[in-house]
Amino acid sequence: MRLDDTDRRILRQLMAEPDLSTPELAARAGVTAATCWRRLEKLRERGVLKGQQAVIDWRALGYEVEVSLRVTLDKTQPRAFEELIAGARQIPEVIEIQTFLGQVDLRINLVARDMAHYQEVYRERILALPHIADIEALMHVSIIKANEGLPL
């Protein structure tokens, strides 16, 4: 989809402050509220805006450990991806699942209250998932860059 300057201004303001009301967003983008609302609807219809979401600080809820698991599957099993993904979705501590092309097939991000909780989740639930050929755990230390806007 081609964006014009008005669309880009609206998206820049929305990325900077996603919780702005439509009239506030319109004022910052230099358009009327009605124009802003119509533009937002078109951006949603065309799939540019897929929705808004709450960003949860897991640490504020008592989850001190975040781990990214790089998983290689036994691809001799025809339903390896589907079965592992279905199982991983059932683990409440799993907050993200991504698939890749290359040596690593999946990345599973999970949170835990502490190391003891992580060990329990890893040993009892992650290692019980089907079709894992290899797994590498990467302990999250800090976020350097996240959720920054695109150059519009």
Side-chain angles (χ1 to χ4, degrees):
M1 174 185 165
R2 290 186 163 253
L3 300 176
D4 65 13
D5 288 340
T6 302
D7 291 328
R8 281 191 283 280
R9 280 195 315 272
I10 291 170
L11 288 173
R12 274 195 300 271
Q13 295 302 320
L14 192 57
M15 284 188 294
E17 265 190 85
D19 57 347
L20 288 173
S21 68
T22 301
E24 291 172 318
L25 179 59
R28 291 187 185 189
V31 296
T32 67
T35 297
C36 185
W37 183 84
R38 282 193 304 276
R39 295 289 184 120
L40 289 170
E41 285 301 306
K42 282 184 183 178
L43 291 167
R44 285 183 187 102
E45 288 169 9
R46 294 183 177 152
V48 173
L49 282 177
K50 296 197 177 268
Q52 291 178 265
Q53 62 187 25
V55 178
I56 299 169
D57 180 352
W58 299 108
R59 291 188 189 278
L61 295 176
Y63 290 86
E64 296 295 326
V65 175
E66 184 175 345
V67 178
S68 181
L69 301 172
R70 297 187 332 177
V71 179
T72 304
L73 295 177
D74 174 3
K75 290 179 275 305
T76 62
Q77 303 298 317
R79 296 197 32 83
F81 275 92
E82 293 83 2
E83 290 175 9
L84 184 126
I85 290 168
R89 282 186 170 154
Q90 301 303 311
I91 301 171
E93 292 84 359
V94 170
I95 58 172
E96 185 175 29
I97 304 168
Q98 297 176 336
T99 60
F100 296 93
L101 293 175
Q103 187 175 4
V104 172
D105 297 310
L106 290 131
R107 187 173 73 198
I108 298 172
N109 290 340
L110 64 90
V111 293
R113 291 183 301 278
D114 52 33
M115 286 305 292
H117 181 216
Y118 167 70
Q119 286 180 347
E120 173 193 329
V121 171
Y122 182 77
R123 289 178 180 163
E124 295 178 16
R125 294 187 239 155
I126 297 295
L127 292 180
L129 292 171
H131 313 301
I132 295 176
D134 189 37
I135 190 166
E136 179 184 7
L138 301 171
M139 185 68 60
H140 179 262
V141 175
S142 67
I143 296 174
I144 305 303
K145 178 181 177 179
N147 298 329
E148 295 185 23
L150 295 173
L152 294 175

